[in-house]
Amino acid sequence: MAKEKVCLAYSGGLDTSCILAWLIEKGYDVVCFMADVGQEEDFEAAKQKALKIGAKEVYVEDLRREFVEELCFPAIQCNAVYENIYLLGTSLARPVIARAQISIAKKTKCTLVSHGCTGKGNDQVRFELAFYALQPSIKVIAPWRIPEFYNRFAGRNDLLDYAAQQSIPVTSTKSKPWSMDENLAHCSYEAGILEDPDTTPPTDMWKLTQNPEFAPNTPEDFTLVFEKGIPIKLSYKESGKDKTVTKSLDLFLTANTIARRHGVGRVDIVENRFIGLKSRGCYETPGLTMLRSAHLDLEGLVLDREVRALRDQFVTFNYSKILYNGLYFSPEREFLEESIKASQKNVNGQVRCRAYKGQMMVLGRSSETEKLYDATESSMDEITGFEPSETSGFIGVQAIRLKKYGAMKGEKGERL
């Protein structure tokens, strides 16, 4: 009787290497799938490691352009953010990874898929909701929710011991037990000593960005051009020469390079996971932080006030929540993305920026096509077509209900 085939989302790290060995131990034929979403990884070495452990096949898919264009750019267009700080770097990558994994599972005739997500985290929800939407008949093996597995491997130290027994090389050690997840948009750090929210992250933990204290003493200026809310050109200097990038992936990589060397994009937060637990996470989100900040600034110049208010109150909040909670493959996400596109028709222009010592500052912004801002109308030194006396009527109308409210409070003897 043929063995059941399972497609494992494999990273080459501690958890999935041990899960690969465990699945083989349980009698499955395992096909490993690796997603290149921009993480700094030796994919060939990881592939050889998986084959050595016992994988039947290993597939490595380059998803970087798809990740940037289909997930990161819409997130920039709507200024996506979770709980005011987290720019959703992990959440953004999950849909493209899940879609590619299901594609490989179909190609290799796997009836099951597996992942290394913890039973207490968000990613198990994100991946599995995506799997079921993409392939409703698929079955999922989630080792960290199987008692036989989590009782045997109570924590990362047990995995490290198992890896040593199985001669599986890993980069995680008992002295640095935090877990990392990296992609083109960011790198996240959690677990281990970071589970104490009052513990300062070690300086050698941060992988992507220069420590702002030791970043260059000379600021670096660059210009971003947006069309319909999407960054289409980045101009900067390199060794004194003018440089320009326009291709989506090259632009994102260049933004990352500038931000990383100036220490832009570090955050350390406690967030509310979808499943109800609070979690401490440290994130480095260099290029995406700069691109989003520039886009946000440009909207102040070119976006209609009421359109912006509706987008901020409804689209940005709900799109961010959908991404965080793993509901990307849903009708509500499709609806909101159409709303994002509609809101961005007039977000055209350029933003001049500066990166310096952990900060991204805006030096100026302009648009050749959008004319909502009129310097003469806004000027305190010119009257132009705006009659200041007309504001008296505006204030009077706005004050009607406030006068009534103030009178009511006065009659009750209550202090305003």
Side-chain angles (χ1 to χ4, degrees):
M1 184 177 177
K3 294 180 179 180
E4 281 194 282
K5 290 180 73 175
V6 54
C7 180
L8 171 66
Y10 183 71
S11 69
L14 174 63
D15 287 38
T16 54
S17 292
C18 290
I19 288 170
L20 170 57
W22 182 79
L23 287 170
I24 294 169
E25 188 181 290
K26 300 304 294 181
Y28 294 101
D29 281 341
V30 183
V31 174
C32 283
F33 158 72
M34 297 188 71
D36 179 0
V37 284
Q39 67 272 41
E40 294 177 356
E41 178 72 64
D42 186 339
F43 289 101
E44 183 57 33
K47 178 178 180 179
Q48 293 306 317
K49 180 162 76 169
L51 292 170
K52 184 178 180 181
I53 294 170
K56 295 298 181 183
E57 297 176 273
V58 180
Y59 289 83
V60 180
E61 298 292 305
D62 185 351
L63 307 175
R64 294 175 300 163
R65 188 177 304 280
E66 180 182 341
F67 176 42
V68 168
E69 294 179 352
E70 296 187 24
L71 273 300
C72 293
F73 280 178
I76 291 167
Q77 285 180 297
C78 78
N79 306 315
V81 62
Y82 182 73
E83 295 186 339
N84 302 312
I85 301 176
Y86 176 42
L87 299 190
L88 300 158
T90 299
S91 316
L92 288 167
R94 295 326 186 209
V96 293
I97 295 173
R99 185 160 50 198
Q101 184 175 355
I102 289 296
S103 177
I104 295 299
K106 290 178 180 178
K107 178 179 179 179
T108 56
K109 295 181 170 53
C110 291
T111 56
L112 305 103
V113 291
S114 184
H115 58 74
C117 303
T118 172
K120 292 184 178 181
N122 293 313
D123 275 346
Q124 58 180 337
V125 180
R126 294 167 181 154
F127 277 120
E128 292 182 36
L129 291 180
F131 293 154
Y132 292 132
L134 293 161
Q135 178 70 349
S137 63
I138 200 70
K139 296 176 182 178
V140 178
I141 299 175
W144 284 114
R145 298 204 306 270
I146 299 173
E148 177 188 350
F149 186 89
Y150 66 68
N151 285 328
R152 180 177 178 183
F153 305 108
R156 296 185 69 77
N157 285 343
D158 292 330
L159 288 175
L160 288 165
D161 291 339
Y162 181 68
Q165 294 166 13
Q166 299 291 322
S167 300
I168 300 171
V170 293
T171 56
S172 181
T173 68
K174 292 182 180 180
S175 62
K176 293 184 178 181
W178 55 75
S179 66
M180 297 167 50
D181 181 77
E182 183 187 357
N183 60 48
L184 196 66
H186 90 159
C187 188
S188 65
Y189 309 86
E190 62 182 9
I193 63 170
L194 300 176
E195 289 177 350
D196 179 352
D198 199 31
T199 294
T200 302
T203 56
D204 63 347
M205 179 194 76
W206 304 101
K207 177 183 179 183
L208 300 184
T209 57
Q210 173 66 273
N211 186 330
E213 294 180 24
F214 307 117
N217 291 321
T218 302
E220 183 168 358
D221 296 349
F222 57 96
T223 300
L224 283 161
V225 177
F226 290 85
E227 184 177 287
K228 296 182 179 179
I230 292 174
I232 61 166
K233 184 166 74 172
L234 193 163
S235 301
Y236 63 107
K237 287 185 180 293
E238 187 177 274
S239 301
K241 297 181 179 179
D242 291 334
K243 298 280 187 178
T244 298
V245 287
T246 56
K247 293 182 179 179
S248 59
L249 182 56
D250 293 340
L251 188 153
F252 206 97
L253 288 168
T254 302
N256 268 342
T257 299
I258 294 171
R260 288 174 67 167
R261 79 172 148 249
H262 292 277
V264 175
R266 291 185 181 186
V267 297
D268 176 356
I269 62 173
V270 175
E271 67 199 68
N272 291 292
R273 287 178 175 168
F274 186 27
I275 64 169
L277 298 174
K278 285 188 179 291
S279 170
R280 194 270 188 91
C282 298
Y283 302 106
E284 290 178 286
T285 317
L288 184 59
T289 294
M290 296 204 311
L291 294 171
R292 178 183 179 274
S293 296
H295 172 267
L296 190 61
D297 181 85
L298 179 62
E299 285 191 328
L301 180 71
V302 302
L303 192 58
D304 177 81
R305 181 184 70 178
E306 298 304 318
V307 171
R308 184 174 188 174
L310 287 169
R311 193 280 315 277
D312 289 349
Q313 295 165 23
F314 181 73
V315 179
T316 299
F317 173 79
N318 286 288
Y319 190 74
S320 302
K321 186 173 73 171
I322 283 170
L323 286 170
Y324 188 84
N325 292 347
L327 294 165
Y328 181 82
F329 296 103
S330 65
E332 59 267 35
R333 189 272 306 173
E334 290 187 1
F335 165 72
L336 287 175
E337 281 203 353
E338 290 303 312
S339 300
I340 292 171
K341 292 175 185 176
S343 75
Q344 297 295 290
K345 291 177 182 177
N346 301 109
V347 184
N348 307 302
Q350 67 173 21
V351 183
R352 295 186 298 108
C353 309
R354 171 171 290 169
Y356 182 63
K357 298 287 187 183
Q359 301 295 318
M360 196 287 277
M361 296 154 276
V362 171
L363 303 178
R365 75 288 292 160
S366 61
S367 176
E368 295 180 359
T369 60
E370 311 308 317
K371 305 300 181 183
L372 289 182
Y373 180 83
D374 187 323
T376 57
E377 279 189 347
S378 301
S379 175
M380 297 296 183
D381 299 320
E382 297 181 52
I383 298 297
T384 62
F386 184 89
E387 288 291 340
S389 60
E390 294 176 356
T391 308
S392 298
F394 175 79
I395 295 172
V397 171
Q398 294 295 317
I400 292 172
R401 67 183 184 91
L402 298 180
K403 288 179 178 179
K404 292 185 179 296
Y405 177 67
M408 178 191 71
K409 296 288 280 187
E411 288 174 6
K412 294 181 178 180
E414 296 176 357
R415 182 174 181 272
L416 271 172

